[in-house]
Amino acid sequence: MITVKELFSKKELKTFVKFPFKLYKDSPYWVPPIIKQELETFNKDKNPIFKDAEARYFLAYKNNEIVGRIAAIINWLEVKDQNQKKMRFGWFDFIDDQEVSAALLAEVERIGKENNLEYTEGPVGFSNLDKVGVMTEGFDSIAPMVTWYNHPYYVKHYEALAYKIEKEYSESKFPFENVKPEFFKKAQELIKRRYQLTALKFTKTSEVMPYTDKMFDLFNESYSSLSSFVAITDIQKEYFKKKFISFVNPEYIKFVVDKNDDLVGFAIVMPAFAKALQKANGKLFPFGFKHILKAKKKSKDVIFYLIGIHPSYQNKGVHAVIFNEYYETFTELGIKTCYRTPELEDNEAIHKIWKHFFPVVYKRRKTFRKNLK
């Protein structure tokens, strides 16, 4: 018999966070989160998303043993401002037992119906900067820290419970040697002159900070047309600054500004932290931080985390300016492989940007939906 328990205390939430450590203890591809950071994500006093969202957390038990978990999420900005009557769910992990996954999703569906929502979708996080999607291909490669990993059996559970595919994502990679400067070197010089643009270079995180609010504003503008997009609020900007920017090498952040110093394009690349996080095994201290710091300084693999171009400058070649900056930086640092985070299959604009680098899709993932009415 399966029993489901709702969680309330910090101790219970820590158990929630640590469940996948047991579920994936034998996997060479699963990447553990930092436990402290994961708990802060769920902390209403620390994560400003809770000003506009709410979440409830559940663990499933079988024979007094934890066998699954799920977070039931409502983003009220999405529901009220965008009229998307969506019940979100994420952090959904379970043993290969249909009764377990069914019992957990039943809690999500119940909460959705109680709030007069029209459908569930997951796995997703609170916002567009959270992890997304259940993996459907690519189980034999390590997961970047910005994505979820899961066992292959997850997908059949969604299908058996009448969940339908809602969105499809792909993750690709390419060797840096595929990047040929002739595709953008001359073009970027012409574009900078024509539109009076300047590429900014950073060597210190403190130099980046004056531009971060503008970056998040541009992120909101450039991604607003995509399905499922929920804008980042002002208070969330401050949170993400502290959470993300310090992890990123300042030389991996590229901004392009116009003659008025207004931001027209940006990109954020992160070192590949996955193997360092595996060594850290959920803890920053005493040795985890050392592994992460080493990866930040020495990793020869990088992940393109975000790239955004102002709508009025899209299709004008601004990405060529950004790629030229990265080409110079990565050549100097001896970067070997470039990875991309999950991108919507129907985002044709982003796929065109990368085509000259001949990327290979190595993972696919999907979100699933079920109507509640």
Side-chain angles (χ1 to χ4, degrees), residues 270-332:
M270 302 179 74
F273 287 115
K275 292 179 181 177
L277 287 168
Q278 286 182 328
K279 292 176 182 176
N281 197 32
K283 298 177 181 178
L284 284 175
F285 300 101
F287 304 115
F289 196 77
K290 181 184 73 173
H291 295 306
I292 291 168
L293 193 61
K294 183 179 179 181
K296 184 177 179 181
K297 291 181 177 179
K298 296 188 176 182
S299 176
K300 299 303 178 185
D301 296 339
V302 295
I303 300 169
F304 277 82
Y305 184 55
L306 285 176
I307 184 166
I309 308 294
H310 192 282
S312 63
Y313 281 88
Q314 289 173 6
N315 300 315
K316 292 183 178 178
V318 175
H319 63 275
V321 180
I322 293 172
F323 286 153
N324 185 67
E325 294 299 311
Y326 279 123
Y327 181 79
E328 293 178 356
T329 299
F330 291 170
T331 299
E332 184 178 331

Side-chain angles (χ1 to χ4, degrees), residues 62-76:
K62 184 177 183 179
N63 300 325
N64 293 318
E65 182 180 353
I66 298 172
V67 289
R69 68 170 189 173
I70 200 166
I73 302 162
I74 303 175
N75 186 316
W76 288 110

Side-chain angles (χ1 to χ4, degrees), residues 322-358:
I322 293 172
F323 286 153
N324 185 67
E325 294 299 311
Y326 279 123
Y327 181 79
E328 293 178 356
T329 299
F330 291 170
T331 299
E332 184 178 331
L333 295 173
I335 296 303
K336 299 295 185 184
T337 310
C338 300
Y339 293 83
R340 289 156 58 196
T341 52
E343 293 165 344
L344 281 163
E345 289 282 16
D346 60 5
N347 187 352
E348 294 295 334
I350 198 72
H351 298 313
K352 287 178 182 176
I353 285 177
W354 300 100
K355 65 179 181 179
H356 292 305
F357 305 150
F358 305 105

Side-chain angles (χ1 to χ4, degrees), residues 86-155:
K86 180 198 297 185
M87 181 74 215
R88 291 173 168 241
F89 64 89
W91 290 271
F92 184 30
D93 293 289
F94 46 89
I95 65 169
D96 192 6
D97 184 329
Q98 196 75 63
E99 290 184 7
V100 175
S101 54
L104 289 166
L105 284 170
E107 294 294 332
V108 174
E109 293 166 20
R110 175 181 61 80
I111 295 168
K113 290 175 182 176
E114 286 175 357
N115 286 276
N116 295 313
L117 301 178
E118 294 175 356
Y119 66 99
T120 65
E121 185 186 354
V124 294
F126 295 102
S127 75
N128 299 83
L129 291 180
D130 288 319
K131 299 176 183 180
V132 66
V134 60
M135 273 181 53
T136 57
E137 295 178 27
F139 301 102
D140 58 350
S141 58
I142 195 167
M145 77 171 204
V146 294
T147 61
W148 280 310
Y149 183 83
N150 57 267
H151 289 305
Y153 63 76
Y154 278 37
V155 177

Side-chain angles (χ1 to χ4, degrees), residues 199-202 208 215 249-256 263 265-269 304 306-308 321-330:
L200 303 182
K201 302 177 189 291
F202 302 110
V208 179
M215 181 193 74
N249 307 32
E251 65 269 27
Y252 286 1
I253 298 176
K254 306 297 183 184
F255 291 168
V256 179
L263 194 63
F266 76 92
I268 295 180
V269 167
F304 277 82
L306 285 176
I307 184 166
V321 180
I322 293 172
F323 286 153
N324 185 67
E325 294 299 311
Y326 279 123
Y327 181 79
E328 293 178 356
T329 299
F330 291 170

